Amino acid sequence: DTALLEQHFNEKIDQDIRIEPKDWMPDHYRKTLIRQISQHAHSEIVGMLPEANWITRAPSLRRKAAALAKVQDEAGHGLYLYSACETLGVDRDDLFADLHSGKAKYSSIFNYPTLTWADMGAIGWLVDGAAIMNQVPLCRASYGPYARAMVRVCKEESFHQRQGYEIMLTLCNGSDEQKKMAQDALNRWWWPSLMMFGPTDKDSKHTEQSMRWRIKRFTNDELRQKFVDVTVPQAELLGLTVPDKDLKWNEERGHYDFGEIDWKEFFNVISGNGPCNKQRIEARKSAWDNGAWVREAANAHAEKKAKRKAA
Ligand code: 3HC
């Protein structure tokens, strides 16, 4: 009966035994995974847009090649994650419909504009840096397909982070104009990167249950703190100033103390009113409509092939 099944499920979670698609799982666990994995996939796909804006504007062939490779990687990450999500019994087209209708979320960070080339450096350094902080523990998530998808994603993310930091380093060792661009990008991307980790633990409605089910291995605030502790010294190495007057090393805590996040901005952005939300969803909807003929052709070809095989 269900109580026994639930008890057996909880024992597997407590013993770090992976839950696989064919295993019994509580409906709420399944729903939480569908919500998180689909929104993670949407984040990867929407995340291609701000960076794609600079592929044709990259300052050199080397930078263009790296930007192309990174955006292509994000597409791949999205496809892995949609596949992982489908193992939970959902249809990919329904997930896309939820994104296009505004029902599903994607990472808040992608609703900000990429105004200068330095933004490509700041995104690789800070956004992929934050994504790595959040995704490495997900390699140990209790749901097998999600954890396994993360292993491959994390390998590629470290290239993303390194190429971003190298862009920032080049700019900071360049002309005054270039250094100013790097500082301006840090000023605009710092706080939105901290918001990527989600609301504070006390305001996070899912964290406690996700920790219990070992989907999350650390809370939002713990990962955010780790990100600040690692990233501030990197900013110092660049000779850049983090735009937070309350940022200070706290010897006692062994962590940086930092200022209050503007949660009004965060909740505004995730409810669809950020600087670029409309533009991002419009871009996704027109890509979906313009790509309909490709899907129809691929399906027709697959049906013909299946008929030939059956004949
Ligand atoms: N952007 C948008 N929505 C967010 C958010 C953010 N940064 N942080 C939290 N939220 C939403 C949650 O989805 C939830 O809303 P919902 O119930 O409608 O889904 C609500 O705010 C409450 O937040 P919780 O902290 O309670 O929710 P979670 O337990 O789901 O934690 C999370 C949020 C930490 C983002 C978690 O979902 C997670 O780890 N997701 C997987 C990782 C992910 O999506 N990372 C995005 C990185 S971007 C990326 O990967 C691209 C990279 O390659 C550049």
Side-chain angles (χ1 to χ4, degrees):
D1 68 347
T2 317
L4 210 60
L5 285 165
E6 183 120 22
Q7 187 201 320
H8 184 50
F9 168 84
N10 286 329
E11 279 159 11
K12 284 164 76 176
I13 295 281
D14 294 343
Q15 290 154 28
D16 268 335
I17 296 170
R18 280 270 159 81
I19 306 299
E20 295 298 337
K22 293 206 174 12
D23 294 345
W24 184 88
M25 59 184 87
D27 273 352
H28 185 191
Y29 177 81
R30 183 186 299 276
K31 280 202 186 73
T32 298
L33 286 166
I34 291 170
R35 176 186 63 81
Q36 175 158 339
I37 299 173
S38 62
Q39 293 184 158
H40 195 160
H42 295 331
S43 302
E44 300 284 1
I45 299 299
V46 174
M48 293 163 69
L49 296 167
E51 297 174 305
N53 177 36
W54 283 91
I55 289 175
T56 54
R57 303 178 168 97
S60 72
L61 192 55
R62 179 170 171 267
R63 293 297 187 205
K64 185 198 279 275
L68 262 174
K70 179 173 186 309
V71 170
Q72 193 179 343
D73 282 349
E74 312 294 11
H77 297 175
L79 298 182
Y80 294 141
L81 287 163
Y82 286 126
S83 301
C85 203
E86 284 178 322
T87 65
L88 291 157
V90 286
D91 185 306
R92 192 178 298 220
D93 287 4
D94 296 339
L95 302 178
F96 288 130
D98 288 348
L99 174 67
H100 300 158
S101 69
K103 186 162 164 269
K105 292 188 172 67
Y106 56 90
S107 193
S108 48
I109 192 73
F110 297 122
N111 290 306
Y112 292 86
T114 45
L115 303 176
T116 74
W117 171 252
D119 288 31
M120 290 298 279
I123 286 179
W125 170 38
L126 299 173
V127 174
D128 288 77
I132 289 170
M133 213 50 98
N134 160 289
Q135 289 171 156
V136 166
L138 287 171
C139 294
R140 292 184 298 122
S142 54
Y143 187 58
Y146 192 28
R148 290 189 290 271
M150 278 298 109
V151 174
R152 172 71 183 272
V153 165
C154 286
K155 286 199 178 80
E156 293 174 340
E157 291 290 18
S158 34
F159 144 66
H160 299 171
Q161 206 260 1
R162 256 201 304 282
Q163 63 88 39
Y165 193 70
E166 202 246 346
I167 290 175
M168 295 301 271
L169 206 53
T170 309
L171 292 170
C172 290
N173 295 332
S175 66
D176 287 352
E177 197 48 28
Q178 286 175 318
K179 181 138 191 187
K180 268 214 294 292
M181 267 173 72
Q183 183 62 60
D184 163 58
L186 175 54
N187 293 345
R188 285 184 287 108
W189 290 94
W190 176 257
W191 290 102
S193 299
L194 298 195
M195 294 177 202
M196 269 175 82
F197 292 95
T200 56
D201 294 349
K202 65 177 178 26
D203 295 337
S204 161
K205 59 180 186 271
H206 301 301
T207 289
E208 197 188 330
Q209 182 60 65
S210 290
M211 291 288 284
R212 168 82 195 76
W213 278 332
R214 297 194 181 177
I215 297 170
K216 278 187 180 180
R217 294 283 179 166
F218 297 98
T219 70
N220 298 359
D221 288 333
E222 285 168 346
L223 287 177
R224 192 179 352 256
Q225 181 66 66
K226 278 166 85 161
F227 173 73
V228 172
D229 291 347
V230 161
T231 311
V232 170
Q234 293 170 349
E236 282 164 1
L237 211 76
L238 290 170
L240 294 179
T241 311
V242 172
D244 175 0
K245 60 185 180 357
D246 300 323
L247 184 71
K248 188 163 63 32
W249 178 253
N250 181 323
E251 195 47 43
E252 226 171 281
R253 283 180 61 224
H255 295 289
Y256 281 94
D257 293 335
F258 55 92
E260 188 49 25
I261 290 172
D262 178 351
W263 293 111
K264 209 163 84 8
E265 175 180 333
F266 172 73
F267 284 107
N268 214 8
V269 171
I270 71 167
S271 52
N273 309 315
C276 300
N277 296 56
K278 292 196 183 20
Q279 183 186 337
R280 300 291 183 234
I281 296 300
E282 274 323 302
R284 286 310 314 149
K285 285 200 285 200
S286 63
W288 177 261
D289 297 341
N290 299 339
W293 68 273
V294 177
R295 293 192 297 276
E296 281 148 28
N299 289 335
H301 177 67
E303 271 158 37
K304 252 197 250 162
K305 235 169 101 185
K307 274 204 192 104
R308 264 203 304 274
K309 217 160 141 208

